[in-house]
Amino acid sequence: MSDRTHIAHDRSWLDTRDGSGPWPTLTMAGPEVFRWATRTVPEISRQALDAAGLDVADLAAFIPHQANARIVDSVARSLGLAPHTAVARDVVRAGNTSAASVPLAMDALLAQGGLSRGDPALLVGFGAGLTCAAQVVALP
């Protein structure tokens, strides 16, 4: 990734109190983050499935962090999810709610019906600082 992904802004926020210049801004290297997520999330997802002793075809649901719909759809395609696997796409309703996106997306998916208590679901979180984690759980 470029150096700009490591620099949040170029000066202290305190330097702007006197009105001497424009406020510093935060930037995100969107294309680089997209490429990172679509490469890394499938990798850690497969590791979680292996650790759980399951195959991707065993999943009833895939519930990733709801960063954006393009990432969700790209990762779902990359994993080769079975047609019966429900994919959480709560980002279209709730937006990117940061750390709350996985539990909110799970709740929305469960509210739609069609899933049963104990069904296996793959949960994947990623984001701030480009960290990530995945786990396979039994749905509540």
Side-chain angles (χ1 to χ4, degrees):
M1 286 192 203
S2 68
D3 288 339
R4 67 188 178 136
T5 61
H6 302 289
I7 300 172
H9 49 84
D10 61 359
R11 58 196 160 102
S12 168
W13 288 87
L14 297 176
D15 291 345
T16 61
R17 287 186 297 180
D18 64 3
S20 63
W23 283 82
T25 58
L26 298 175
T27 60
M28 182 176 73
E32 289 101 336
V33 171
F34 178 87
R35 285 190 296 274
W36 174 84
T38 57
R39 182 186 69 249
T40 304
V41 172
E43 290 172 8
I44 64 165
S45 295
R46 288 184 187 98
Q47 291 172 11
L49 286 164
D50 287 345
L54 296 176
D55 186 69
V56 70
D58 298 323
L59 291 173
F62 172 55
I63 308 170
H65 167 58
Q66 302 291 293
N68 70 51
R70 285 184 57 226
I71 291 174
V72 171
D73 292 341
S74 178
V75 171
R77 276 192 308 277
S78 179
L79 286 172
L81 298 173
H84 70 269
T85 304
V87 178
R89 290 188 176 87
D90 193 47
V91 67
V92 299
R93 182 189 65 83
N96 181 347
T97 55
S98 191
S101 76
V102 173
L104 288 171
M106 182 190 306
D107 183 65
L109 195 60
L110 291 170
Q112 294 173 8
L115 294 168
S116 299
R117 181 182 188 102
D119 281 347
L122 173 62
L123 311 182
V124 184
F126 61 93
L130 299 183
T131 59
C132 55
Q135 64 180 347
V136 177
V137 301
L139 289 173

